[in-house]
Amino acid sequence: MQKEQEFIDTLYARVDELRGEAADSVRDAITPVGTGQQARLERDLLVVERSGLLAALNAVEGSLAFGRIDLKDGTAHHIGRIGIRRDDTEHTPILIDWRAPVARPFYLATGHTPMGLRRRRHLTLDGRTVTELHDEILDLEDAERTGYEDPSGDAVLLAALNSARTGRMGDIVQTIQAEQDNIIRHAHQGVLVVEGGPGTGKTAVALHRAAYLLYEHRELLAKRAVLIVGPNPAFLKYISEVLPALGETGVLLSTVAELFPGVHATGTDSPRAAAVKGAAAMAGALAAAVADRQELPMPGAPIVVPHDDGDLVLDWEIAYEARQAARDTKLPHNLARPHFAFRVIDALTAQLTERIGADPYGGPNFLGPDDIAQLGKAVAASPDVHAAIEELWPQLTPQRFLADYLAEPTHLTDDDAAAIRRAPADGDRPWTPADVPLLDEAAELLGHDDSAERAAAEAARQERIAYAQGVLDLSKGSETYEFEDEDESEVLAAHDIVDADRVADWYEEEDHRSAAERAAADRTWAFGHIIVDEAQELSPMAWRLLMRRSPTRSMTLVGDPAQTSEEAGVGAWSEILAPYVEDRYEHTRLGVNYRTPSEIMELAARVLRAEIPGYEPPASVRSTGVAPWVRQADDLGAAVAQAVVELAPEEGRLAVIAPRSLHEVVARGVDGVVVGAEPDLTRDVVLLDPRQAKGLEFDSVLVVEPGLFGVSDLYVALTRATQRLGVLHAGEVPAALA
């Protein structure tokens, strides 16, 4: 123990040294030593690099080192959350990053396959103090013993599984099991599907895979960023500390509802409306609705455009030919619009040319090319012409288009249209999560005409160039630089070696945001890798959105089709992925339940077997000896209050999971709960509905009125507990719980 404490003291002394150096570097870099482009660039790179190092060192402060491997050749390596070198000049590490190849035997070695190890040691720390050691002997011929041997080799894992929950997910880096390690380090570069029942560690494995990929492909993923998609904001808060604890801070965590910049989807849909909006058929309906906005005048009822030289007539034939030409470009609606406008303007110019310059005796037109060009400019500048073009082919934003569409949905069945219709008077109603994939689809169909933005940017650049030229003109002869030539010494003025364009580029504002920050603000960002949790719940339209964010199809999808509860959820992996990668994806399963005790898991499995006969849950690694209970209550509010007192752990967290419709009643027995507010998972007792509870875990769980849950929702609710489970009901219960 003393030797390990000495090592920890040495390690943290080095960490403190690195932390101080990084803080000094950031502070010094904020005040640049030069004003040139090179000095500024070096400063910015240093700030980014040192700030990232400082954030990583601060994030991994707790239990930085957690293991040691002793090899048969006499060498030993300490394993930790990040790698630490002894000093800046020596490449020998004092601490090995858990993701490094040399660390892999720590997770995979067994007595049967020791992988060159004599011993594997687990270190337990409280802050910077070593409190426990657990050794596993892997070379059975080695007679040396330390007194810290763990005969079963499971003490550290079981201690982690039985520890009190904090309301925040912790990393599993110290207890990664072999089947989990194989997935974390899986070399497949396309779509990897990780399926597993409750408690198998799907989410933890996915997060550690993100950390591993960032380690293995640092240069690529640092530029393109990693996106982690979760089912709801509470879940994202729950997992938010895992990657920082592993030294990774440059990842974007988001729900699908947050992936359209500028839109905050706070509204709600009925389950039926969400299902209709999420269906694959919506893509075709929206495409057809966009085409409907490319209109034609009624035959025989042309649009009359006032003009100084007589009215112009925009009839069906002109508009039809212009529309076909624009559609033939295959460009999105807004980008094809200029092609439509040019054809209309050309046709109206020809009409005006014929009227003004026609030879009454049938000869050639009197107007020359310059005259016709001037008429074309006048037509193109006419507000009335632009109004006519806007009427037939309007410039649309995704928000405007979708709001109009939802007011009068088309290309759907009458029942589906009625389910999603909202009156124009509701135009100020907030967007819903199911609207976000539709907005993204609309953005793809419409396209973004950035010609005005590019023109403004170029105008600003020309202003910078003009200013820079003025500066150079004033500096002529005021400053010189000497350059040695092999034949003679030549003296050049500053304006001879630097032009105004280059000076303007130096002073152009740079974007210092991280890749994750830039990705969050850019709808068209292509991520280096995407991880999707509870992937079975996403709708076909949500998948279309995500696949646009991953053109390389580098994704890790985790979930359990048996837990699909959203009506719009696809569930089956083949149905999700066939439109995008066909069958070119890897599928793997996690088969061990580390969270849920066997007593609780058997009860939950009975519920699911009523829907899926023969269903076998993942095998639980532990039993608590505490059976779950099911009780009937006359006064539900009072019964909840009593059960909360009974189930609340001395340390840890209790979740009360009830239908949303009963939250007001249930809250009477749960102190401090604000109904309708975003749940605070760090509180001792939290009130949730089943879908809010997805992916979460608690020491104790109280399920209220299970007869009002769907089978999948009930299965989720019953499998959130790590220690104790109670079920209260006033109404009927499923037969499996009777």
Side-chain angles (χ1 to χ4, degrees):
M1 186 84 77
Q2 181 179 352
K3 289 185 177 180
E4 292 294 0
Q5 185 61 59
E6 291 172 356
F7 166 79
I8 293 298
D9 293 341
T10 301
L11 173 64
Y12 275 105
R14 175 59 177 154
V15 169
D16 290 340
E17 180 184 3
L18 288 171
R19 186 183 284 118
E21 291 175 357
D24 290 344
S25 296
V26 172
R27 184 172 54 253
D28 294 342
I30 291 175
T31 305
V33 295
T35 58
Q37 183 190 31
Q38 185 68 23
R40 286 184 4 187
L41 179 60
E42 291 176 356
R43 175 201 67 188
D44 294 340
L45 290 175
L46 186 60
V47 168
V48 171
E49 176 188 347
R50 294 298 179 174
S51 296
L53 173 61
L54 187 59
L57 291 171
N58 290 335
V60 300
E61 169 70 23
S63 300
L64 173 58
F66 56 80
R68 193 182 88 183
I69 50 177
D70 296 353
L71 281 70
K72 291 182 179 179
D73 64 7
T75 60
H77 301 294
H78 280 88
I79 313 298
R81 284 169 167 76
I82 61 174
I84 302 290
R85 292 178 180 170
R86 294 186 183 278
D87 57 51
D88 291 334
T89 59
E90 185 179 352
H91 292 293
T92 304
I94 188 174
L95 186 68
I96 300 291
D97 193 302
W98 68 275
R99 296 164 288 191
V102 71
R104 198 168 190 196
F106 181 80
Y107 299 108
L108 299 184
T110 65
H112 184 266
T113 309
M115 301 179 69
L117 300 190
R118 292 174 50 243
R119 178 184 297 108
R120 170 171 47 219
R121 167 169 287 178
H122 292 269
L123 287 71
T124 302
L125 275 66
D126 181 6
R128 298 185 174 193
T129 302
V130 180
T131 58
E132 290 184 67
L133 301 177
H134 294 275
D135 287 346
E136 296 176 63
I137 304 301
L138 299 173
D139 181 2
L140 301 182
E141 296 180 359
D142 186 351
E144 181 184 349
R145 294 295 182 267
T146 64
Y148 300 108
E149 281 74 25
D150 173 12
S152 68
D154 293 331
V156 175
L157 173 62
L158 292 176
L161 298 179
N162 287 314
S163 63
R165 269 47 191 170
T166 65
R168 291 286 185 267
M169 176 181 274
D171 64 68
I172 60 168
V173 65
Q174 189 171 357
T175 58
I176 293 172
Q177 302 301 293
E179 68 166 359
Q180 297 171 330
D181 186 81
N182 288 331
I183 294 171
I184 290 168
R185 300 175 193 261
H186 201 291
H188 184 64
Q189 295 182 352
V191 177
L192 174 65
V193 173
V194 182
E195 183 179 327
T200 53
K202 302 182 295 297
T203 299
V205 167
L207 294 174
H208 286 69
R209 176 164 172 77
Y212 173 75
L213 291 173
L214 284 163
Y215 173 86
E216 191 73 5
H217 307 287
R218 176 73 61 192
E219 184 174 350
L220 170 64
L221 295 183
K223 294 177 181 177
R224 300 311 313 164
V226 172
L227 169 65
I228 297 179
V229 179
N232 54 60
F235 175 84
L236 295 179
K237 289 181 182 177
Y238 176 66
I239 68 171
S240 62
E241 296 178 5
V242 175
L243 286 168
L246 299 174
E248 301 297 344
T249 57
V251 175
L252 177 62
L253 276 65
S254 177
T255 64
V256 170
E258 297 167 312
L259 287 177
F260 195 92
V263 169
H264 188 50
T266 59
T268 57
D269 277 313
S270 69
R272 170 73 172 138
V276 172
K277 290 179 178 181
M282 281 301 304
L286 293 177
V290 168
D292 290 344
R293 301 301 299 270
Q294 301 160 5
E295 300 183 39
L296 301 174
M298 292 294 292
I303 298 174
V304 178
V305 182
H307 191 272
D308 292 342
D309 294 306
D311 292 343
L312 301 175
V313 178
L314 176 50
D315 58 19
W316 185 92
E317 287 78 9
I318 292 175
Y320 177 80
E321 189 278 334
R323 186 176 73 173
Q324 287 303 112
R327 287 180 173 179
D328 287 345
T329 65
K330 306 300 183 184
L331 292 171
H333 175 88
N334 288 333
L335 300 184
R337 184 179 184 273
H339 295 270
F340 175 81
F342 292 152
R343 291 297 184 117
V344 169
I345 291 169
D346 286 347
L348 295 181
T349 301
Q351 194 178 113
L352 192 59
T353 300
E354 180 65 22
R355 178 184 302 162
I356 296 174
D359 182 352
Y361 298 104
N365 196 288
F366 293 130
L367 300 180
D370 291 343
D371 299 320
I372 296 173
Q374 288 299 319
L375 290 178
K377 289 181 180 178
V379 171
S382 168
D384 293 315
V385 171
H386 283 282
I389 292 170
E390 180 68 17
E391 179 181 343
L392 298 179
W393 195 299
Q395 182 88 15
L396 297 171
T397 65
Q399 290 90 332
R400 173 187 165 188
F401 166 76
L402 187 60
D404 291 345
Y405 178 82
L406 293 176
E408 192 53 53
T410 56
H411 306 286
L412 297 173
T413 66
D414 290 344
D415 289 344
D416 286 350
I420 66 172
R421 181 179 289 112
R422 66 184 192 189
D426 295 336
D428 293 333
R429 189 173 66 180
W431 298 109
T432 70
D435 289 333
V436 170
L438 304 190
L439 287 167
D440 197 73
E441 189 76 23
E444 288 292 306
L445 293 168
L446 297 175
H448 177 57
D449 184 0
D450 63 351
S451 56
E453 297 166 19
R454 285 187 282 108
E458 180 59 25
R461 174 175 164 76
Q462 291 304 320
E463 288 183 10
R464 291 196 304 272
I465 291 174
Y467 175 79
Q469 187 62 56
V471 172
L472 290 176
D473 290 344
L474 290 173
S475 69
K476 280 188 177 181
S478 64
E479 190 172 1
T480 59
Y481 300 88
E482 291 191 4
F483 294 87
E484 292 289 341
D485 188 271
E486 61 181 29
D487 297 324
E488 57 183 341
S489 178
E490 182 180 6
V491 179
L492 298 176
H495 60 270
D496 292 326
I497 60 173
V498 180
D499 58 25
D501 285 49
R502 187 173 303 177
V503 173
D505 288 340
W506 288 351
Y507 287 96
E508 185 174 1
E509 184 177 352
E510 298 173 5
D511 189 344
H512 301 300
R513 294 174 299 171
S514 69
E517 290 170 330
R518 285 182 283 124
D522 185 352
R523 190 194 69 82
T524 63
W525 189 273
F527 288 91
H529 192 79
I530 296 179
I531 291 175
V532 185
D533 206 323
E534 301 293 347
Q536 76 283 348
E537 300 288 7
L538 298 190
S539 70
M541 292 304 294
W543 281 114
R544 289 175 66 87
L545 178 153
L546 287 178
M547 290 299 176
R548 293 186 193 105
R549 308 297 196 274
S550 180
T552 62
R553 303 294 188 258
S554 178
M555 308 177 85
T556 301
L557 314 180
V558 298
D560 179 12
Q563 296 184 60
T564 305
S565 56
E566 296 289 343
E567 288 189 35
V570 177
W573 302 118
S574 59
E575 292 182 32
I576 291 171
L577 296 171
Y580 308 103
V581 296
E582 297 179 344
D583 61 351
R584 300 186 304 277
Y585 63 91
E586 292 281 335
H587 181 267
T588 185
R589 286 185 174 86
L590 291 166
V592 179
N593 186 335
Y594 298 97
R595 175 179 66 222
T596 319
S598 57
E599 295 87 351
I600 295 176
M601 201 63 223
E602 180 52 38
L603 178 68
R606 290 207 306 268
V607 168
L608 201 55
R609 288 189 192 113
E611 181 95 355
I612 309 174
Y615 171 77
E616 286 301 323
S620 297
V621 300
R622 65 197 177 97
S623 168
T624 60
V626 180
W629 51 258
V630 181
R631 296 175 188 163
Q632 187 167 8
D634 295 327
D635 183 341
L636 202 57
V640 167
Q642 179 181 344
V644 165
V645 173
E646 178 182 343
L647 289 172
E650 293 183 6
E651 296 182 11
R653 302 293 180 270
L654 163 67
V656 180
I657 304 178
R660 184 64 65 93
S661 60
L662 292 179
H663 278 200
E664 292 282 357
V665 174
V666 170
R668 298 170 194 162
V670 184
D671 291 338
V673 169
V674 178
V675 176
E678 190 67 36
D680 179 0
L681 301 179
T682 63
R683 293 184 62 86
D684 293 339
V685 183
V686 61
L687 176 61
L688 306 167
D689 65 38
R691 300 187 186 190
Q692 289 177 311
K694 274 186 173 293
L696 308 180
E697 61 182 37
F698 304 89
D699 299 271
S700 300
V701 169
L702 174 64
V703 176
V704 180
E705 214 60 271
L708 299 181
F709 296 162
V711 172
S712 294
D713 281 344
L714 180 55
Y715 183 61
V716 169
L718 294 173
T719 55
R720 299 304 97 194
T722 65
Q723 301 293 338
R724 295 190 292 173
L725 171 69
V727 180
L728 279 177
H729 66 96
E732 296 293 325
V733 294
L737 298 181

